[in-house]
Amino acid sequence: MPFSNLHIKFLTTCILTTALLSTATPSISAATKPIEVVTATGVVATDVPPYMLKGTVMVSLQTIQKIQPSDIRLTWDQAKQTATLDYTDNAQSALQFQVGSTYVNVDGKHVTLAQPVLIHNKRVMVPLRAISQLMGLSVQWDHKQNRIVIGNTDHLSSSVTSTDSLAQQLAVARRHTLNLKQVIVPPELPSMGLMTVTSYFPIGVSNQYFQDNGGRIIYYEVRNNQAQQLWAATYDNKPAINKGLLFLPYQITKEVGTRPVVSTPLAYYKINASVDNLFYGLVDINGNQQEIGRVDASSTKQALPVIEQESTDLK
């Protein structure tokens, strides 16, 4: 399902035995503050703090997954001590790592790594720069901020760090997402061309959203720094119950792509161009909409409001 976070909890269990057998202890260089990993959606929450090993930033495979959460699938082979990363939006779609190895297998070809794959704090750790670049993402080291930057993050303020609230990071990331180029997959469905546009984000999410502009609704996911259409539909004003899309209580007349399923509440942002106001609130899993507030749309160019109820859920 589009909104189910892809986890590999079983990986943690599988590598416990490996961790106990591993006697190698990496030499971690000291830093003035913890190393941060930053992507287009903000500072990445890491299960194991990234660290520098002989000039190479090492991160867990779970951290790699969070760089592009909708595009990455991770699996673990306990017998071979091998992890496989399937990256669905890149020609080099399969990366395979073996604990202790100094290379990664890229669709059958060996690519040498600066540091070997290893176990640290009961997690499989890999070199962040090499893996990100193999996924087609740009990588930069920000020495002053002690952070590694993945992809285009120009929209993020340098003051946004992991010490900021998740709500602050989410507010900036959602605004960035709505400013991305939208890639529409033919055939493009017609819309009513109304002056009101409503965007819906799953709670706590910034890289997946619906956009309704009256008579037409499109579901987007952020991939390669673009908002790519995965589903679209037209609807009329006849009441209807849409399985999986209770926030859209109208009869769907035509759709393209695979209809997503919403299993969480949604935060919504409605812009009325005629009065230049932005209305925002929540939609619960039963489709009930609750407006929380309204602001001048021009005041949301850098960040969208994140309401208190959602902030509480993020803690």
Side-chain angles (χ1 to χ4, degrees), residues 98 136 139 149 159 163 183 259 270 298:
Q98 187 171 38
V139 182
V149 180
S159 62
T163 59
V183 180
R259 184 186 300 187
K270 180 186 296 184
S298 63

Side-chain angles (χ1 to χ4, degrees), residues 222-242:
V222 176
R223 298 184 178 182
N224 294 330
N225 207 36
Q226 294 179 329
Q228 296 191 3
Q229 173 192 313
L230 297 187
W231 173 82
T234 55
Y235 62 88
D236 57 28
N237 59 1
K238 297 178 182 178
I241 298 176
N242 297 309

Side-chain angles (χ1 to χ4, degrees), residues 218-294:
I218 300 176
Y219 170 64
Y220 297 96
E221 287 189 3
V222 176
R223 298 184 178 182
N224 294 330
N225 207 36
Q226 294 179 329
Q228 296 191 3
Q229 173 192 313
L230 297 187
W231 173 82
T234 55
Y235 62 88
D236 57 28
N237 59 1
K238 297 178 182 178
I241 298 176
N242 297 309
K243 185 177 180 180
L245 296 178
L246 295 178
F247 70 97
L248 183 66
Y250 303 110
Q251 180 174 289
I252 292 176
T253 55
K254 184 177 181 180
E255 59 186 316
V256 294
T258 302
R259 184 186 300 187
V261 175
V262 178
S263 57
T264 67
L266 299 164
Y268 76 85
Y269 302 93
K270 180 186 296 184
I271 294 181
N272 188 322
S274 62
V275 294
D276 199 27
N277 277 343
L278 182 141
F279 305 81
Y280 60 96
L282 283 179
V283 182
D284 65 24
I285 59 175
N286 296 316
N288 301 312
Q289 182 171 304
Q290 178 187 8
E291 182 179 310
I292 303 299
R294 65 183 67 182

Side-chain angles (χ1 to χ4, degrees), residues 21 74 82 86 98 107 115 117 144 164 214 234 241 254 261 273 278 293 306:
L21 295 175
L74 290 168
T82 300
D86 289 310
Q98 187 171 38
D107 287 341
Q115 295 298 329
V117 179
K144 292 183 179 180
D164 289 326
T234 55
I241 298 176
K254 184 177 181 180
V261 175
L278 182 141
V306 174

Side-chain angles (χ1 to χ4, degrees), residues 34-35 46-51 58-59 120-121 125:
I35 295 174
T46 56
D47 54 336
V48 174
Y51 62 86
M58 304 291 289
V59 298
H120 176 66
N121 284 355
M125 309 296 289

